[in-house]
Amino acid sequence: MYAHLLMEEAKDPKMREDLQMMVDQASRCRKIVGGLLDFARQNKVVREPANVRDVIDAALRALPRPENIMVSAKHGLTNPTVELDRDQMIQVLTNLFSNAYAAMEDGGTLTITTSDTDDQVNIAVTDTGTGIQSEVLKRIFDPFFTTKPMGKGTGLGLAVTYGIVKMHRGDIHVDTNAEPDAGPTGSTFTVTLPRQGDLK
């Protein structure tokens, strides 16, 4: 806060450059601490009936899309109601959306597809990005593992996502192609959730 206030008053270009570095690094620290707190809090799920479509819409609103990316939602739900922790599931989706946007630096399409059975609901998040290399794929849910440049990622987003999904007694899996010769590149993360919280 003080760095932001100083930025407003500073006139000297060199001073403004130094203050901007302070602001950027403070924001980075806040992001890292927030990720650590989220990771440490994975011990409780408060399930309540929720409409999956509404949860997806809330997550999309929470993370504005880049201008060069289109978003498409394809709902195939016969019953959109699931017992889940709404706030935690919004966090799962915003993590997946954020990673999808990052994979499409040159633009593309984010597609969210839902489907269900009597016992479960599936949410698939598909991007048209670069795909995930095989050596990276096996580590993507590991805490603190990231392929982003230093200062751009904490390596906790997918670890937190995995933990939340597992606490819901659900599952998450990835289909990806990083080789243009094998077809269109991109990744699909599919989250499967039991419709009722007491299912095992």
Side-chain angles (χ1 to χ4, degrees):
M1 182 182 70
Y2 286 117
H4 279 288
L5 291 174
L6 287 170
M7 279 277 290
E8 293 176 3
E9 298 179 4
K11 306 297 182 185
D12 181 76
K14 176 60 178 173
M15 183 178 291
R16 289 185 63 84
E17 183 179 332
D18 291 341
L19 288 168
Q20 185 62 56
M21 181 181 293
M22 290 172 60
V23 169
D24 292 343
Q25 294 306 312
S27 296
R28 177 170 172 261
C29 290
R30 181 177 61 186
K31 184 176 180 181
I32 291 172
V33 171
L36 288 168
L37 289 173
D38 290 335
F39 189 69
R41 284 194 199 106
Q42 294 182 45
N43 56 10
K44 185 177 181 182
V45 173
V46 180
R47 293 183 178 88
E48 294 179 345
N51 185 309
V52 170
R53 296 191 193 104
D54 293 342
V55 174
I56 291 171
D57 288 343
L60 287 171
R61 288 194 301 271
L63 188 71
R65 67 174 176 83
E67 292 183 359
N68 62 347
I69 291 176
M70 299 294 295
V71 175
S72 172
K74 299 177 180 179
H75 293 298
L77 298 169
T78 55
N79 177 6
T81 302
V82 183
E83 291 182 6
L84 51 75
D85 188 310
R86 178 184 171 87
D87 290 339
Q88 289 191 13
M89 200 51 56
I90 288 174
Q91 183 176 6
V92 163
L93 293 172
T94 54
N95 285 346
L96 294 180
F97 296 164
S98 176
N99 284 351
Y101 292 158
M104 298 185 285
E105 289 186 353
D106 297 326
T109 302
L110 173 71
T111 304
I112 303 140
T113 308
T114 60
S115 60
D116 65 351
T117 66
D118 289 342
D119 297 327
Q120 67 184 36
V121 168
N122 306 305
I123 306 170
V125 178
T126 303
D127 66 64
T128 57
T130 55
I132 304 169
Q133 298 291 337
S134 57
E135 62 270 19
V136 173
L137 185 61
K138 58 190 176 184
R139 297 193 60 194
I140 57 172
F141 295 117
D142 290 354
F144 306 109
F145 176 75
T146 181
T147 59
K148 295 177 181 177
M150 185 175 293
K152 297 294 185 181
T154 63
L156 288 170
L158 285 177
V160 170
T161 294
Y162 181 87
I164 292 173
V165 171
K166 288 300 182 180
M167 283 194 302
H168 280 77
R169 294 178 179 167
D171 196 13
I172 181 170
H173 72 269
V174 190
D175 294 305
T176 188
N177 177 40
E179 302 298 333
D181 292 342
T185 59
S187 303
T188 298
F189 284 77
T190 302
V191 175
T192 300
L193 300 171
R195 192 176 292 282
Q196 294 181 319
D198 57 354
L199 291 180
K200 297 183 179 180

